[in-house]
Amino acid sequence: TLGLLADFWRCTEEMLSNGQDGTSSILLAAPHWDARWDQWRDDIFPLLEESVLTAGISRTIGIVCFHPEYAIPSPRFLAAHRFGHMHSLPTLRRWIQEREPDLSEQTDDEELAWAGAYMRRSPHALINVLWAEQLAVAETKRKSSLLYAQNMARGVQHPQM
């Protein structure tokens, strides 16, 4: 854990020093955590979240969680630890209902949760460090509900992905 945290901060400090023109983002692989999703979700990502908040840079950078066994955390967990996780199942359901009502009717919560989680799956446990400003610009230029609904529709329609 200490090694991962040290690597995260070493890379993040370099990113901050380089600025947005020098480093657009960081993708930090952590294969040691590949078979330990529960610890990755419950211990590592909250630790990273708290360290970013404590450092006072949560409006400068954002972190996103990826994992080979990614599953959407419970609404209770997400209420306390929103950093870097997929949106809740009720939010995903609302978005797919708005954008793809027929598909929403045909898709149960288990399938929808799988499709949502699939968007955060990766070959290894990963931390994606991004500029908060870039995330904000992306959110204003795209419609998140449309993007996520399209991706969930692809996942539900092609579950062998």
Side-chain angles (χ1 to χ4, degrees), residues 1-130:
T1 303
L2 289 177
L4 177 63
L5 198 58
D7 287 344
F8 168 79
W9 279 109
R10 182 182 45 76
C11 291
T12 299
E13 285 178 349
E14 184 177 327
M15 180 177 168
L16 293 169
S17 293
N18 291 339
Q20 291 186 40
D21 291 334
T23 304
S24 63
S25 65
I26 299 169
L27 196 58
L28 184 62
H32 174 76
W33 297 94
D34 286 357
R36 297 160 52 189
W37 162 242
D38 289 344
Q39 287 180 294
W40 185 251
R41 177 198 59 221
D42 296 341
D43 300 331
I44 299 304
F45 245 77
L47 178 63
L48 290 171
E49 176 183 16
E50 286 301 319
S51 70
V52 167
L53 290 169
T54 299
I57 59 171
S58 63
R59 293 182 185 266
T60 305
I61 65 164
I63 55 174
V64 181
C65 174
F66 293 88
H67 195 276
E69 300 171 6
Y70 191 91
I72 298 172
S74 71
R76 182 176 177 184
F77 180 91
L78 290 174
H81 303 287
R82 183 64 199 103
F83 259 48
H85 284 285
M86 179 51 67
H87 296 278
S88 69
L89 187 55
T91 298
L92 296 177
R93 172 64 69 193
R94 186 178 77 248
W95 287 348
I96 199 167
Q97 179 64 37
E98 290 170 1
R99 303 289 182 169
E100 300 274 349
D102 292 340
L103 183 60
S104 181
E105 292 295 321
Q106 301 165 12
T107 306
D108 65 27
D109 283 351
E110 186 176 323
E111 292 172 311
L112 188 60
W114 179 89
Y118 192 81
M119 288 185 261
R120 291 296 172 88
R121 296 251 169 111
S122 59
H124 295 292
L126 298 172
I127 302 162
N128 189 197
V129 185
L130 303 143

